[in-house]
Amino acid sequence: MSLIGAMSVSATGLTAHRQWMDLIAGNVANANSTRSAEGGPYTRKLAQFADIVDAKGNVLGVQVASIIQDDSPPRLVYEPGHPDANPEGYVAYPNVDIMLEMVDLIAASRAYEANITTLEAAKSMALQTINMLS
Amino acid sequence: MPVVNVTENDLTLSVISKSLGLLSARHEAIAGNIANVNTPGYRKRDVDFGSQLRRALEDGQVTGKQAQLSSVSSIEPRLLEDDDFFFRNDFGSVDIEVEMAAQAKTSLLYNTFARLTEKRLRMYRFVIMDGRA
């Protein structure tokens, strides 16, 4: 039944945008991390969205196809006393711009809300149908 | 005694139930668009609701009610793909406001048709109960 299908489509939208919000939270939390597991400062992570389509062209939802790294250069700050400073006295800070992350966060949470609204609508439509039984 | 299926010949009921099917398919397409609002290069989808139904009813007006019934029941949800309009710089074509409005419209129409089905079936019950329901 396509109303139930619509609900699972909205669920994939919720999952994908929640994953994006997780990445944003990680970026903000690590905005000042000068060390990472890969070495060097933390690099900003971005979600790449892709649609899920069946053979007939019906949309089954959305997914985070891959998590990509922002390859823009790190922010260099002159701090000679810092343990991670290079010989010239500059510390490489992550390429995370807090303002940019906030804008992304708003976009992600708006999209999340839109998916919630759609899910609620599908639910109330299905309930209407069930009420026909009484 | 032959079994007569009353609902089989009820044009109103068949139009209503077909509408419910088309609207739920349309709602699914809109849900897909909203889920993909941030997907670069996504092409928005829609399911045609009014025009197929109108054509089926108009065609049948010439040939009679049986033709209308069969052409209404043969309608299948048709997926329309938008492929020439970019709404966003990342080549996505989902306009979230338009989709939310379409979604609200679809669910209102669905609720209307669901209520109409209920009323129609109540009319049958009224007749079956000999006007005492």
Side-chain angles (χ1 to χ4, degrees), chain B:
Chain B
M1 187 179 145
V3 179
V4 182
N5 190 344
V6 242
T7 53
E8 204 168 64
N9 291 310
D10 189 337
L11 184 60
T12 312
L13 198 61
S14 71
V15 168
I16 291 171
S17 62
K18 189 53 83 177
S19 304
L20 287 174
L22 290 173
L23 285 167
S24 63
R26 179 153 200 247
H27 190 83
E28 193 178 6
I30 295 169
N33 292 342
I34 292 174
N36 282 290
V37 64
N38 287 310
T39 306
Y42 175 78
R43 310 259 54 84
K44 75 171 248 183
R45 269 99 167 151
D46 200 356
V47 171
D48 169 54
F49 169 60
S51 64
Q52 280 193 94
L53 210 53
R54 192 182 310 120
R55 203 171 321 118
L57 290 173
E58 281 172 356
D59 287 353
Q61 270 174 352
V62 191
T63 38
K65 193 183 154 193
Q66 278 309 321
Q68 272 179 322
L69 267 169
S70 65
S71 58
V72 165
S73 65
S74 67
I75 294 175
E76 287 292 323
R78 200 178 47 177
L79 201 65
L80 309 167
E81 213 168 314
D82 182 359
D83 52 16
D84 55 11
F85 175 68
F86 300 132
F87 179 70
R88 287 164 46 138
N89 289 338
D90 60 7
F91 302 113
S93 65
V94 179
D95 181 346
I96 188 74
E97 285 82 16
V98 170
E99 295 304 318
M100 294 311 279
Q103 186 251 106
K105 198 172 120 182
T106 307
S107 67
L108 271 177
L109 271 173
Y110 187 93
N111 288 348
T112 312
F113 280 111
R115 197 62 65 79
L116 281 173
T117 314
E118 217 182 311
K119 293 278 176 225
R120 191 72 182 171
L121 294 177
R122 194 155 292 169
M123 281 163 70
Y124 279 122
R125 193 160 68 183
F126 188 74
V127 175
I128 292 164
M129 302 291 281
D130 205 11
R132 278 179 283 111

Side-chain angles (χ1 to χ4, degrees), chain A residues 80-120:
Chain A
H82 196 288
D84 291 324
N86 65 8
E88 287 78 44
Y90 284 96
V91 181
Y93 276 98
N95 54 353
V96 174
D97 181 351
I98 295 289
M99 290 305 147
L100 216 57
E101 297 304 321
M102 288 302 154
V103 172
D104 277 359
L105 185 65
I106 292 169
S109 67
R110 287 281 178 270
Y112 191 89
E113 283 167 20
N115 279 292
I116 292 263
T117 310
T118 313
L119 189 67
E120 288 281 349

Side-chain angles (χ1 to χ4, degrees), chain A residues 1-76:
Chain A
M1 190 177 153
S2 37
L3 274 180
I4 305 299
M7 285 165 85
S8 46
V9 169
S10 296
T12 66
L14 291 174
T15 310
H17 285 96
R18 203 248 312 124
Q19 283 175 339
W20 189 21
M21 281 200 256
D22 288 350
L23 291 177
I24 296 167
N27 290 341
V28 174
N30 284 293
N32 291 310
S33 303
T34 51
R35 291 178 195 188
S36 65
E38 307 100 63
Y42 174 86
T43 37
R44 178 176 180 237
K45 310 275 190 296
L46 287 162
Q48 194 171 39
F49 290 102
D51 53 359
I52 312 169
V53 183
D54 70 0
K56 283 184 277 176
N58 294 309
V59 184
L60 303 179
V62 64
Q63 60 180 344
V64 176
S66 59
I67 294 165
I68 46 178
Q69 309 247 0
D70 185 345
D71 53 5
S72 61
R75 191 158 43 93
L76 291 176

